[in-house]
């Protein structure tokens, strides 16, 4: 029996958002379909009936299932089936996760799974913002404990105006790609790429975006009142007061003493680990998970108290202090560009590689982009934190951090017309203690400059933290350049990257229920001070991009040939272009508009390839002398290739400066001879003369001789209509009235 269909609608900006539920996926705790234009996202929310035992975290998973049928396409893989999630799908899942996670009860230990499936993909409407809305709506009407709903919007900045939820076409002209989510009262998540947007303008964009999402929040509240399920009870993870008091009694002031004594991360962690083990053994009669949680609760309280009341951070810094910085470039001699960026205990090695445009990454996803010319990868090996674990490829976190660094640098990458290279930067985290993604931005800027990439401006980045006393916001401290402990025990991770003139990337996650605008603005301006200081330290090492590429980096030269010559340059089965590449030791890429890119590590090789390619672009010119190759011989003359694909004929009467009986007496197939182009007819047929070259004739003299010879060869009174022949031996025809001669 068909179930009842419920439809809810609202307007956000000038776009209608439609949410449907009730008639599908009813075995999930909550399920909705969100429609924007022809884009449709199915979201399901499901919770396990029992908590997962023995864990000290909330097990939430969010997956975005990118189905290519949504765009009417079949996957390009061998199996023609979607495989592991694409980077685009992983980034969308992470974007959805971040505003949902802070609103779950802190004591929930039941597995919760959100699955988002793309059912239809309108090429003009993005999938990420509808996915956040769909996940929130599914949770809101479900019986899963959750303190939502949240709304989400995208904000663009086009021609000096903010645009709410711009289309894909509109975003091509936008200086800002801001995605944000929040509750009715505050902003929870921010993700942005920008082309040097000032801090105040960014705050205004966030404010407008938060206002624009309010109808979505009201719509979900309407859905909850109309069809929402009562929230389920669950077995809450809690620390008994008895355990808490026992741990506090054992600790006394030992945590404070360790924090006072050890500013070095490794020594401090070692001392805290020893103290934790001592407490666990001393209180072995209690449940160990509760003892462990109680210990970390005490540590969190002490670290936060010292920051709020004394302005002292775990490593002894003040709230605005930045850890010591040192940088070095050209550290990998065979790499095209490399740099190490070190800030405190965080260290990243970034390596840049240049290649031809043919090496661009092809994207088989539902995203509007089909290729990617600038690629940034981030690796976080276990040794960077002194740990041992199996290497299983890039994690979601690594993909997310790489995408953030890529977004930060993309606005300063030179356009293809100026720098026709595919660029890949890999950031290897060598040591981690907070903000490795922003260290990747700094190290990658230096690596690109070391490679000689003419970036428009250098980019630096910093991670900001926050500690709040309570939800009244009467007392809070914003922290510059947070380290690992402050990230773990604090309330915010706010990453800001940009040039000296503005923001290029932004990412904010909070563990509380949102941030007011004045705190956002304060954090952005404090981050600007830090970014400029870090940028100054970077430019002390390398003040500008190197004027030349490294000797072993490929040089790419660009030439243009007529589109109709592309086939000749490629040759049958690619034979011609492969031969040029083999002979000149180059790599050659040809675009559909006739643009040809030549990549070579030797200038001589590149020049040799250029000359060969330009020969294909040249059109034969009457009067010009060419060194041609005899490719065929007949009784009446020789056929000579004067340019690649351009063949003309030398009549036997013009093959030498004296009478010739047999053409083979003068030339043979394979010979190279100098010839002059004397005529090109309407059909492109070319007449050549070797005699004109040997006798030093001008083109006019050569053409006159050509006409005389043609006249002698033609039967008297005959010839092609309109063909000019010499007066000698020519029948003169005068047009008269009918009946006259």
């Amino acid at each position: 029996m068909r179930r009842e269909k419920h439809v809810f609608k609202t307007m956000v900006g000038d776009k209608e958002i439609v949410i449907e539920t009730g008639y599908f996926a009813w075995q999930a705790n909550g399920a909705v379909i969100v429609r924007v234009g022809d884009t449709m996202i199915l979201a399901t929310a499901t919770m396990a009936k029992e908590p997962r035992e023995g864990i000290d975290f909330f097990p939430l998973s969010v997956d975005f299932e990118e189905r290519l049928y949504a765009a009417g396409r079949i996957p390009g893989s061998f199996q023609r089936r979607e495989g592991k999630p694409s980077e685009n799908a992983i980034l969308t899942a992470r974007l959805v996760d971040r505003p949902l996670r802070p609103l779950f009860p802190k004591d929930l230990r039941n597995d919760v799974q959100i699955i988002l499936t793309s059912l239809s993909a309108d090429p003009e409407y993005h999938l990420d913002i509808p996915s956040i809305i769909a996940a929130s709506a599914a949770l809101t009407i479900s019986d899963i404990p959750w303190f939502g709903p949240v709304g989400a919007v995208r904000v663009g900045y086009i021609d000096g105006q903010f645009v709410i939820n711009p289309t894909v076409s509109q975003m091509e002209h936008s200086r800002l790609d801001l995605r944000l989510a929040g509750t009715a009262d505050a902003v929870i998540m921010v993700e942005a790429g920008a082309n040097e947007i000032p801090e105040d303008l960014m705050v205004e964009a966030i404010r407008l975006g938060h206002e624009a999402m309010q109808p979505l929040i009201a719509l979900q509240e309407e859905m909850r009142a109309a069809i929402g399920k009562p929230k389920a009870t669950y077995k809450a993870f809690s620390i008994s007061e008895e355990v808490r008091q026992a741990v506090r009694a054992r600790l006394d002031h030992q945590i404070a003493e360790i924090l006072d004594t050890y500013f070095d991360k490794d020594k401090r962690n070692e001392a805290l680990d020893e103290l934790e083990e001592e407490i666990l053994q001393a209180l072995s009669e209690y449940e160990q998970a509760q003892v462990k949680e109680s210990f970390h609760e005490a540590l969190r309280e002490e670290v936060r108290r010292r920051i709020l009341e004394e302005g002292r951070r775990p490593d002894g810094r003040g709230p605005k202090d930045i850890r010591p910085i040192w940088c070095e470039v050209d550290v990998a001699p065979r790499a095209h560009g490399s740099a190490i960026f070190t800030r405190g205990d965080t260290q990243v090695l970034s390596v840049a590689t240049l290649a031809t445009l043919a090496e661009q990454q092809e994207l088989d996803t539902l995203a509007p982009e089909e290729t990617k010319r600038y690629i940034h990868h981030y690796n976080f090996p276990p040794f960077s934190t002194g740990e041992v674990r199996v290497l299983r490829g890039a994690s979601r976190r690594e993909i997310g951090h790489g995408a953030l660094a890529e977004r930060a640098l993309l606005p300063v990458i030179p356009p293809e017309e100026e720098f026709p290279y595919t660029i890949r930067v890999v950031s290897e985290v060598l040591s981690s203690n907070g903000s490795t993604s922003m260290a990747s931005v700094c190290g990658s800027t230096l690596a690109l400059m070391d490679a000689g990439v003419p970036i428009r401006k250098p980019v630096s980045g910093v991670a900001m933290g926050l500690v709040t006393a309570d939800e009244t916001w009467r007392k809070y401290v914003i922290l510059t350049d947070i380290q690992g402990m402050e990230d773990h025990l604090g309330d915010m991770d706010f990453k800001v990257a940009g040039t000296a003139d503005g923001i290029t990337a932004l990412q904010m996650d909070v563990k509380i229920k949102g941030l007011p605008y004045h705190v956002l603005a304060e954090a952005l301006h404090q981050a600007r001070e830090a970014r400029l200081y870090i940028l100054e330290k970077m430019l002390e090492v390398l003040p500008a991009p190197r004027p030349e590429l490294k000797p072993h980096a490929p040089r790419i030269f660009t030439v243009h040939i007529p589109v109709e010559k592309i086939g000749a340059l490629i040759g049958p089965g690619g034979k011609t272009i492969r031969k040029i590449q083999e002979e000149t030791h180059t790599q050659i890429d040809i675009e559909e508009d006739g643009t040809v890119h030549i990549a070579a590590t030797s200038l001589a090789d590149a020049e040799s390839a250029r000359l060969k390619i330009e020969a294909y672009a040249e059109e034969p010119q009457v009067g010009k002398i060419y060194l041609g190759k005899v490719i065929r011989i007949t009784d009446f003359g020789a056929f000579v290739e004067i340019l690649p694909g351009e063949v003309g004929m030398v009549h036997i009467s013009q093959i030498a400066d004296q009478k010739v009986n047999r053409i083979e007496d003068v030339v043979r197939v394979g010979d190279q001879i100098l010839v002059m182009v004397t005529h090109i007819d309407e059909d492109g047929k070319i007449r050549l003369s070797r005699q004109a070259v040997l006798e030093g004739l001008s083109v006019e003299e050569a053409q006159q001789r050509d006409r005389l010879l043609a006249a002698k060869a033609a039967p008297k009174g005959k010839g092609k209509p309109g063909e000019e022949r010499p007066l000698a031996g020519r029948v003169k025809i005068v047009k008269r009235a009918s009946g006259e001669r």
Side-chain angles (χ1 to χ4, degrees):
M1 183 177 72
R2 183 180 176 89
R3 296 182 180 240
E4 185 179 359
K5 180 178 182 178
H6 304 281
V7 181
F8 301 83
K9 301 179 182 179
T10 192
M11 295 295 294
V12 178
D14 61 351
K15 310 294 189 303
E16 183 180 56
I17 310 292
V18 181
I19 306 179
E20 300 176 1
T21 188
Y23 66 101
F24 52 83
W26 51 81
Q27 295 196 58
N29 295 66
V32 304
I33 287 176
V34 168
R35 295 174 179 257
V36 187
D38 285 342
T39 285
M40 294 174 59
I41 297 292
L42 166 66
T44 59
T46 313
M47 183 175 76
K49 292 179 173 56
E50 297 296 330
R52 199 193 300 184
E53 298 294 336
I55 60 172
D56 59 355
F57 62 92
F58 166 52
L60 170 68
S61 63
V62 178
D63 294 286
F64 182 83
E65 296 295 301
E66 191 175 38
R67 302 293 191 231
L68 293 191
Y69 59 65
R73 286 162 46 197
I74 294 174
S77 64
F78 178 77
Q79 288 90 358
R80 295 295 186 266
R81 181 186 181 98
E82 289 87 357
K84 68 177 185 178
S86 68
E87 286 195 7
N88 180 64
I90 290 171
L91 294 173
T92 302
R94 283 172 57 86
L95 192 75
V96 174
D97 181 299
R98 287 157 47 199
L100 305 183
R101 190 175 291 272
L103 299 179
F104 283 96
K106 304 301 181 188
D107 55 2
L108 182 62
R109 294 294 182 269
N110 298 55
D111 281 88
V112 174
Q113 184 177 43
I114 311 293
I115 298 178
L116 301 139
T117 307
S118 57
L119 302 182
S120 178
D122 188 324
E124 279 298 302
Y125 293 93
H126 299 87
L127 297 170
D128 46 9
I129 295 301
S131 296
I132 299 174
I133 298 166
S136 173
L139 284 167
T140 298
I141 65 171
S142 76
D143 60 349
I144 300 172
W146 191 58
F147 302 125
V150 298
V153 297
R154 174 182 257 101
V155 181
Y157 189 64
I158 304 169
D159 296 330
Q161 300 293 323
F162 290 111
V163 180
I164 301 299
N165 284 345
T167 63
V168 171
S169 297
Q170 287 176 307
M171 283 302 298
E172 292 177 0
H173 309 285
S174 180
R175 284 184 59 196
L176 173 66
D177 183 7
L178 169 66
R179 294 165 288 175
L180 70 156
T183 62
D185 303 318
V187 175
I188 297 178
M189 183 277 295
V190 173
E191 180 92 19
N195 190 356
E196 297 182 291
I197 292 290
E199 281 74 10
D200 291 339
L201 198 65
M202 185 68 78
V203 173
E204 179 64 11
I206 294 171
R207 186 187 65 78
L208 289 172
H210 189 230
E211 289 179 0
M213 72 178 66
Q214 296 308 311
L216 289 167
I217 296 170
L219 182 68
Q220 293 176 72
E221 294 288 6
E222 178 188 337
M223 293 176 64
R224 173 156 45 199
I227 59 172
K229 302 174 184 177
K231 293 302 180 183
T233 59
Y234 61 94
K235 182 181 177 182
F237 176 84
S238 60
I239 303 172
S240 73
E241 194 57 33
E242 182 183 356
V243 172
R244 181 177 283 110
Q245 292 301 325
V247 170
R248 300 297 172 104
R250 284 278 180 181
L251 281 176
D252 194 21
H253 298 292
Q254 294 176 78
I255 288 179
E257 290 173 1
I258 290 173
L259 294 175
D260 282 334
T261 305
Y262 301 108
F263 292 158
D264 178 77
K265 170 195 169 185
D266 293 335
K267 293 179 180 178
R268 181 176 63 244
N269 287 348
E270 185 179 348
L272 287 171
D273 289 344
E274 290 176 358
L275 178 59
E276 181 181 3
E277 186 61 31
E278 179 185 321
I279 297 296
L280 287 168
Q281 291 179 5
L283 301 177
S284 58
E285 68 272 20
Y286 296 108
E287 185 181 337
Q288 295 292 280
Q290 289 202 26
V291 174
K292 193 169 187 175
E293 185 67 20
S294 183
F295 175 84
H296 287 281
E297 180 186 75
L299 174 61
R300 179 176 183 273
E301 289 177 2
E302 179 61 20
V303 170
R304 293 170 66 88
R305 183 197 67 77
R306 293 158 75 89
I307 290 172
L308 283 167
E309 296 179 6
E310 304 171 13
R312 285 198 298 161
R313 299 167 67 173
D315 59 0
R317 284 183 292 154
K320 294 186 177 182
D321 293 341
I322 299 172
R323 291 171 289 176
I325 294 171
W326 67 266
C327 317
E328 186 177 338
V329 296
D330 199 18
V331 294
R334 293 297 297 180
H336 298 161
S338 58
I340 283 182
F341 179 85
T342 308
R343 185 174 57 229
D345 290 329
T346 292
Q347 185 179 70
V348 172
L349 167 66
S350 290
V351 182
T353 306
L354 307 179
T356 66
L357 293 173
E359 299 298 315
Q360 293 183 85
Q361 182 180 1
E362 295 184 5
L363 305 175
D364 190 21
T365 71
L366 294 176
E369 299 83 9
E370 296 180 355
T371 59
K372 191 159 65 169
R373 174 176 158 253
Y374 174 64
I375 306 161
H376 195 119
H377 291 150
Y378 165 102
N379 295 317
F380 192 85
F383 64 75
S384 65
T385 54
E387 298 174 306
V388 176
R389 59 177 166 80
V390 177
L391 297 178
R392 299 188 183 278
S395 68
R396 290 190 166 202
R397 177 180 177 276
E398 288 171 298
I399 289 170
H401 279 23
L404 177 60
E406 181 177 293
R407 194 179 309 118
L409 286 160
L410 193 57
V412 303
I413 297 296
E416 180 181 315
E417 297 76 25
E418 295 179 14
F419 195 70
Y421 288 83
T422 294
I423 306 167
R424 180 184 184 231
V425 177
V426 179
S427 292
E428 305 282 0
V429 179
L430 305 182
S431 179
S432 173
N433 186 19
S435 192
T436 53
S437 63
M438 294 297 96
S440 297
V441 170
C442 300
S444 298
T445 295
L446 289 171
L448 289 168
M449 292 167 66
D450 181 53
V453 177
I455 60 174
R456 290 194 306 110
K457 297 174 186 177
V459 178
S460 61
V462 68
M464 310 297 291
L466 174 73
V467 176
T468 59
D470 51 45
E471 295 182 0
T472 65
W473 294 99
R474 292 194 189 95
K475 191 170 187 178
Y476 62 88
V477 176
I478 295 173
L479 304 174
T480 295
D481 180 26
I482 57 173
Q483 58 180 319
M485 178 177 279
E486 293 163 339
D487 185 7
H488 178 63
L489 302 178
D491 298 320
M492 176 183 78
D493 183 8
F494 196 0
K495 302 179 178 74
V496 188
T499 68
D501 296 319
I503 295 168
T504 58
L506 203 64
Q507 188 179 92
M508 185 193 78
D509 297 307
V510 297
K511 299 172 188 175
I512 51 180
K513 295 182 180 179
L515 256 62
Y517 301 130
H518 73 276
V519 177
L520 274 170
E522 187 179 339
L524 281 174
H525 285 287
Q526 191 168 318
R528 175 175 171 77
E529 295 176 9
R531 286 193 297 106
L532 295 179
Y533 172 81
I534 295 167
L535 190 59
E536 184 180 334
K537 292 292 184 183
M538 293 164 54
L539 298 183
E540 287 176 3
V541 177
L542 188 62
R546 297 192 188 280
E548 297 288 339
L549 303 182
K550 298 288 180 66
H552 38 273
R555 266 69 174 169
I556 296 182
F557 302 86
T558 302
V559 296
H560 297 273
I561 65 171
V563 173
E564 61 271 17
K565 300 282 187 177
I566 293 176
L569 176 58
I570 294 173
K575 180 179 178 181
T576 303
I577 196 67
R578 283 199 303 271
K579 182 180 179 183
I580 294 175
Q581 290 182 113
E582 290 169 2
E583 290 176 347
T584 60
H585 311 289
T586 59
Q587 183 176 339
I588 300 171
D589 299 326
I590 308 170
E591 298 183 12
E592 293 180 355
D593 64 353
T595 301
V596 182
H597 300 291
I598 308 164
T601 55
S602 163
L603 291 175
D605 288 341
E607 180 65 14
S608 176
R610 183 186 66 79
L611 292 173
K612 290 177 182 290
I613 290 167
E614 286 183 341
Y616 284 86
E618 186 177 347
E619 297 285 348
Q621 298 178 31
V622 173
K624 189 170 181 179
I625 296 173
Y626 295 90
L627 177 64
K629 181 179 180 181
V630 179
I631 60 172
R632 187 161 64 93
I633 288 176
T634 65
D635 291 340
F636 53 84
F639 289 87
V640 180
E641 184 178 45
I642 57 173
L643 292 170
E646 298 289 351
V647 178
M649 192 199 77
V650 184
H651 192 268
I652 189 171
S653 62
Q654 298 189 50
I655 198 69
D657 54 359
Q658 58 187 355
K659 185 176 180 181
V660 175
N661 295 320
R662 293 175 66 252
I663 198 87
E664 292 89 342
D665 293 340
V666 180
V667 295
R668 296 183 181 276
V669 172
D671 288 351
Q672 288 188 319
I673 59 175
L674 288 170
V675 290
M676 177 189 288
V677 177
T678 59
H679 185 73
I680 303 175
D681 68 16
E682 293 178 356
D683 296 327
K685 292 181 180 178
I686 304 169
R687 289 209 299 271
L688 306 172
S689 172
R690 181 169 179 260
Q691 182 183 27
V693 177
L694 295 173
E695 295 182 0
L697 301 181
S698 68
V699 63
E700 291 80 9
E701 291 171 328
Q703 289 175 332
Q704 177 69 6
R705 183 169 292 183
D706 190 26
R707 287 193 292 268
L708 289 168
L709 292 171
K712 288 179 181 178
K716 203 168 186 180
K718 301 251 177 141
K720 292 182 181 179
E723 181 183 37
E724 279 194 25
R725 290 180 293 142
L727 291 176
R730 193 171 86 183
V731 176
K732 186 174 182 181
I733 300 174
V734 180
K735 188 174 182 181
R736 299 177 184 271
S738 178
E740 295 183 328
R741 287 189 175 227

